[in-house]
Structure formats: structure tokens, C-alpha cells
Amino acid sequence: MFQSFRQAMAWLHTWFGLVLGFVLMAAFFFGALSVFDREIDRWTIPATRIEPQPMPSYEQVLRPVFERMRPTSQAIDAMRPRVNGDMPERFDTVVSWSAYTTHRDPVLALFAGYEVPNAKDPEEAIWAYATIDPRNGTPLPDDRLKIGSGFFYPMHYSLTLDWKNLGIWIVGFSALVMLAALVSGVVMHRKLFREFFTFRPDKARLRSVLDLHNMTGVVALPFHFFFAFTGLLIFAAAYYFPLGHTQLHELHDLHAEVEARETGLPHERAGVPAGLASVDAMVAEAQRRWKEKDKAGEVGFLVLQHVGDANGYVSVYRAGTDRIALVGDGIHFKAATGELIREDPAGTPVGRVSEFLTGLHLQHFRHWLLRWFYVLGGLAGAVCIATGFVFFVEKRKRQHAQQGRQGARVVDALAVATVTGMVLATLGILVANRLLPEDLPARGDWERYAFWGTWALALLHAGWRSAPVASGLANPAWREQCGAIAVLAVAAVLLNWITTGDHLLRTLGSGYWPVAGVDLFLLAGAAVAALAARKLQRHAALASANAAAVGPAHV
């Protein structure tokens, strides 16, 4: 079938990249945005535009909020099918209270789990959530869609397809195939060092597109390989090979007993009421122990397990600001007395490698320059895939036009919708975020509708304007959607100014980089899109002039 191994690799690279490039484009693009998901949250939810805060006092700030938290009516309705009999009117038995923050979070996320009598799965709890100002415990809007961490980030790894974890499986399969595409690409391009420095924008369009495809693929090759591989590792145990939830399910209770005996952390409630010692004192003791070991003492995660029970305990986990590895350094105390139960030991060699790879992928550490390298790596991957689409169409569209085939036209329309259409959808949700009334019921749903509606319109527009591709010409939708990107990006910045008063002069002057950074990124994107639209316009005019000079018989 193939005359050489390199030809086989070229076929594999082309068709695997084409078929699954549409998914990988979203994974790369939204992965790049997710690097600054918390900053995007602050842009989209003006009430959270405060400076990041440390974990506040439990006694003064957190406990009063936890005691007021209750599951919403929506959570109760969702739980009803998983309960034998009627749902209780109140949920009084607290399974756990927990609070989570990072060095980039200005607000504090609280989670409260409650035992559900007669639940079909006795270990399943019903949950309540809250977002507060950590300075004083003031509740903040918790019904707002956190577009950065609650939408763009899940798009990166699951496409927000939650049914049966379908999106996670699609992205995982695409990442696996991407590894094969990377290997085949290396085999195809043996002169990698030369292609690292080769980009000839003044050459013929097909040549310059291929140069850009090769260069962005080679320059970020370690990044692409590493993140595809670690992404698969992170989800392997929980989703792809969930042995603990399938083949080993019957050993679950035994494992819980052994773990409780070895760690001293009870898995179940004792059924004996008990009080709660000073949690702030436990946090201070944990910080003292970290300091003795020359570790930073920020608290990232605070958990109270089996609240109000004799088996209750408090776990204090360190924030991951000073290290790459995702290690909590947890210290656990008996809730009723504050007595130390356990300090988490260092992991095994295999465990430490896993923690390092996971931490490097999820980047919870404090290193702004490295974060920008992550963004550039993700965008380089998106450019590599986009230029691969363009090269595929450019190489085949004239041949398909002569043969009367529509393949190049279909691929080009899908490529437009995937590349520029996805960017338009991203801008569409940001513009909707600033235009929709703050008190609009189900506001987050309307923002999602704006995203998917904009993307659907971009797909329809790309298909409608793709007729010239069937004649061997360029699709004007590329140029038109680049122009729309420039307009929407500028509109988002202006709307942020109009609706919040936080214009660039104000945010830059006060050094509030989360909002200023998003505005600057939008303006930079608008400039790139405008330049691309202008260049595509010139290319289209030149192509039309050449076609008119040659005559229709040769088009």
C-alpha cells in the first residue's frame, strides 16, 4: 500500500490530524485560556474584583457561613431519584465542611456535604455550595457562571459533554491519537533543527503555511507531547481504567477499614456527639510544623470531616504556591480535642513522579513567566492544527474543483468554524456576559446559549460562504470571521468599561492586572485578527485578478 515507512507515517499524520484535529483545536485553545481561568472569572464577575486573600479564620468567618448553608431546591430535586422513599425536609447530619482557595483566588469557595437518609448509595451525600468574600464572610453571587474556571476549563478536557463522561473519553482518545500524530510527524520531518528556524512568509501560500505548521509543531514539540501524555495519566485511574470502581468495588469497604486503621482517620461516623476544638489553633499548629520544615505556610484546603461526631477530624492542606508537585502536605487533627492524628508522609518514588507530572500539568504553583509559556505553548498547538487544516485544503481544492468533488469545501467550512468560529464563540460569551442584566434568572444558561449560538452561526456562515472553494478559490468566511473577531474583541473591552467603569487606564494605574490583562489580551487578539483579515483581503483581490487574467477555463 505504501512504498516506504515515511509515506505510511505521512498518511497517518494527515488523516489522524484531520479527523481529530477539530477536538484537539478546542483542547489546545481552551487549555491556553484555562491557564488564567481565575483572572477571566474576575473579568466576568465584577463583584469578585478584589485582591487574592489567605484562608480566613474558621471561628470568625467560616463557621457562621457553614452553619447557614443548605442544599438548594435544584440539588434536592436532582437527588430524589437516588433515594428510597421520600426526601427528608431537613439535612442535619453534616458529612463534611470544606473551604478551598489558591494564590490567584480573590474569593473563597465553600462546600458542605450532608448525609441523605435512605440513599440508594449510603456513601452519597447531598451538597451545598457558597462563594464568600474571605475578608468578612459576605456571601457573593454563587449563581453566576464562572466562565474561566466553570466553562473554559471544562471545555479543555471534556468539551462540557457530561453525559457518561463522553467528553472526557473523546478528548482522551484524541490525546492518544495526538501522540501517534506527533511521532509520525517527527518521522516525516527528519530535518527538525532546520525547520525550527524556517518560516518564509513571502513564499507561495502553500509553502508559507507548511513552514508555519512545521515551525509551530517543532518549537512546541516537547510541550505538546508532555501535556498530551500527562493529561492521559491524570484521568487514567478515575475514568479510563477505574479499577477501584469496577473490578475492585467489592473490596471498597475492606480498603476503607484498612486505611482508617493505618492512618487513624475514621472512615465512618461513630454516632456519638462531640464538640469541636479551636480550628484556628489547629491551622496555626499546622503552619508551625510546615515552617519547621522550611515550607511555605499558606493554607489552600481546609476540611472538617464527620462534623459534630466523636470520629470527626480536621485536615489542613498546604497551598501549592512554592512547588511544582501537587502535594498537599496534609496535617490531620482530632476535631474534638485538637490532638494531632497524623502528618502525611512523603510519597513513594512512583507517587512523587505522579505528583510532579500532575502538578506540572495543572500548574497551581506561583510562576507568572512559566504560565505565559503555557499559554504560548497552547496557542502554538492551536496554530499548528489550524495551519494543518489550511494546508490540507490548499493542497487539494484545485484538484477537487477539477474533479467536481466537494471534499475540500466541506473540510474548509469545518476548519473555519473550528478555528475562527471557536474564537468568535469565546468572544460571544464574553460580550453576552457584559450585556445581560445582572438579575436575569438563569443568567449562566443564557451565557452558554450565547456561546453555542455564536459557534453555530459561525458554522452556518462558513458553509454558506464556502462555494468558492469548490471552484479552487479561497473561502471568504476566513476573512469575514477575522473581521468579526476584531470587532467583538474591541466591543468586549468597551463593554467592560461601560458596565463596570474599569477601563484600562484605571486598571493599569492601580496595578490590577487580572482585569487589565484580559483587556490587553482581547485588544492584542483584535489587532492580530484585523491584520489577518487585511492580508486575506489582499490575497483574495490578487487571486481574483489572476483568475480574471487567466480566464475561467483555467480556474
Side-chain angles (χ1 to χ4, degrees):
M1 181 177 179
F2 302 107
Q3 295 181 356
S4 67
F5 180 68
R6 288 189 66 220
Q7 284 188 351
M9 291 296 98
W11 181 91
L12 180 73
H13 185 84
T14 298
W15 290 103
F16 275 23
L18 176 67
V19 173
L20 293 173
F22 303 106
V23 175
L24 293 173
M25 184 74 187
F28 272 120
F29 180 72
F30 289 106
L33 296 185
S34 297
V35 174
F36 290 105
D37 56 349
R38 262 52 173 206
E39 289 71 19
I40 295 173
D41 286 346
R42 285 190 245 180
W43 192 95
T44 57
I45 308 177
T48 66
R49 293 183 183 181
I50 57 178
E51 291 299 324
Q53 304 291 320
M55 184 71 70
S57 162
Y58 172 82
E59 272 78 25
Q60 296 180 17
V61 177
L62 298 183
R63 183 166 188 166
V65 180
F66 278 131
E67 291 175 345
R68 293 195 303 266
M69 291 175 65
R70 290 292 181 272
T72 63
S73 57
Q74 293 87 348
I76 294 173
D77 291 339
M79 187 70 190
R80 289 185 194 279
R82 301 193 293 276
V83 174
N84 294 317
D86 297 330
M87 288 284 286
E89 294 184 1
R90 289 179 55 84
F91 300 92
D92 297 319
T93 303
V94 180
V95 175
S96 72
W97 285 340
S98 57
Y100 176 77
T101 189
T102 73
H103 66 283
R104 294 163 49 229
D105 275 310
V107 299
L108 193 66
L110 303 184
F111 313 89
Y114 301 89
E115 187 178 284
V116 181
N118 301 321
K120 294 179 180 179
D121 181 355
E123 294 192 359
E124 184 174 11
I126 188 170
W127 292 88
Y129 307 93
T131 302
I132 65 169
D133 184 335
R135 298 172 300 183
N136 50 31
T138 302
L140 295 172
D142 198 53
D143 57 346
R144 298 286 189 268
L145 173 61
K146 296 178 179 177
I147 291 177
S149 60
F151 189 76
F152 290 164
Y153 179 50
M155 277 291 295
H156 162 61
Y157 64 84
S158 71
L159 307 177
T160 67
L161 296 176
D162 298 328
W163 181 77
K164 301 292 185 181
N165 297 316
L166 178 62
I168 291 176
W169 280 94
I170 292 174
V171 173
F173 178 71
S174 300
L176 184 64
V177 172
M178 177 184 164
L179 295 177
L182 290 174
V183 173
S184 59
V186 171
V187 174
M188 289 168 56
H189 304 289
R190 292 173 295 183
K191 301 177 181 179
L192 289 179
F193 186 78
R194 187 184 72 180
E195 290 176 349
F196 185 92
F197 298 100
T198 302
F199 178 49
R200 294 160 285 189
D202 297 329
K203 292 288 184 180
R205 186 183 186 189
L206 198 62
R207 181 70 258 176
S208 61
V209 168
L210 183 58
D211 281 348
L212 186 57
H213 177 73
N214 293 338
M215 186 177 70
T216 52
V218 172
V219 72
L221 180 62
F223 177 92
H224 299 160
F225 189 91
F226 173 82
F227 277 88
F229 178 69
T230 55
L232 289 170
L233 285 181
I234 289 170
F235 285 105
Y239 296 100
Y240 306 141
F241 302 102
L243 298 180
H245 304 291
T246 53
Q247 286 91 337
L248 304 180
H249 182 72
E250 294 182 358
L251 297 176
H252 177 273
D253 293 340
L254 177 60
H255 175 268
E257 292 177 9
V258 173
E259 184 179 46
R261 186 166 57 249
E262 292 180 350
T263 64
L265 305 178
H267 179 67
E268 297 179 343
R269 300 175 69 88
V272 179
L276 179 64
S278 172
V279 175
D280 288 348
M282 300 179 207
V283 170
E285 174 63 14
Q287 291 175 316
R288 186 189 67 78
R289 290 175 176 270
W290 292 329
K291 186 176 181 179
E292 285 182 349
K293 299 177 181 178
D294 294 325
K295 296 179 179 180
E298 299 95 340
V299 177
F301 194 32
L302 178 65
V303 183
L304 284 76
Q305 199 73 22
H306 309 316
V307 179
D309 188 82
N311 274 352
Y313 61 92
V314 176
S315 300
V316 187
Y317 296 94
R318 205 162 64 88
T321 57
D322 62 331
R323 64 199 183 281
I324 292 176
L326 194 66
V327 183
D329 288 319
I331 300 180
H332 313 274
F333 303 89
K334 188 173 181 60
T337 63
E339 174 190 355
L340 176 68
I341 299 176
R342 165 187 172 87
E343 288 189 58
D344 287 346
T348 63
V350 173
R352 288 198 294 270
V353 170
S354 175
E355 291 163 353
F356 178 81
L357 295 178
T358 303
L360 195 58
H361 188 109
L362 298 179
Q363 32 84 37
H364 286 295
F365 46 83
R366 191 196 303 270
H367 197 303
W368 295 108
L369 180 60
L370 190 55
R371 282 185 174 277
W372 278 108
F373 277 121
Y374 277 42
V375 173
L376 294 176
L379 294 180
V383 171
C384 183
I385 295 171
T387 50
F389 289 151
V390 173
F391 182 77
F392 181 93
V393 173
E394 289 292 318
K395 188 176 180 180
R396 293 165 175 80
K397 67 181 182 182
R398 288 179 177 82
Q399 180 184 2
H400 285 196
Q402 293 172 357
Q403 298 172 350
R405 296 164 61 186
Q406 299 292 315
R409 179 180 179 180
V410 172
V411 172
D412 189 84
L414 291 174
V416 173
T418 304
V419 180
T420 54
M422 182 171 58
V423 179
L424 280 173
T426 302
L427 294 170
I429 194 173
L430 295 179
V431 169
N433 171 266
R434 295 292 84 228
L435 285 176
L436 292 172
E438 290 293 326
D439 57 352
L440 178 68
R443 192 174 188 270
D445 291 338
W446 285 104
E447 291 171 344
R448 292 186 184 91
Y449 299 153
F451 178 88
W452 295 113
T454 303
W455 206 343
L457 288 174
L459 174 60
L460 293 175
H461 172 259
W464 171 55
R465 297 289 282 158
S466 65
V469 180
S471 301
L473 301 175
N475 188 346
W478 286 103
R479 177 182 74 253
E480 293 161 357
Q481 292 197 15
C482 281
I485 288 171
V487 172
L488 282 182
V490 173
V493 175
L494 292 175
L495 287 170
N496 175 52
W497 176 6
I498 294 169
T499 56
T500 68
D502 287 336
H503 52 79
L504 270 172
L505 293 178
R506 179 178 179 180
T507 53
L508 288 174
S510 62
Y512 195 69
W513 285 104
V515 174
V518 174
D519 279 347
L520 289 172
F521 195 78
L522 288 170
L523 292 177
V528 171
L531 290 174
R534 184 179 179 184
K535 186 169 184 178
L536 290 171
Q537 176 64 43
R538 289 179 176 177
H539 180 80
L542 181 61
S544 298
N546 291 338
V550 173
H554 297 83
V555 174

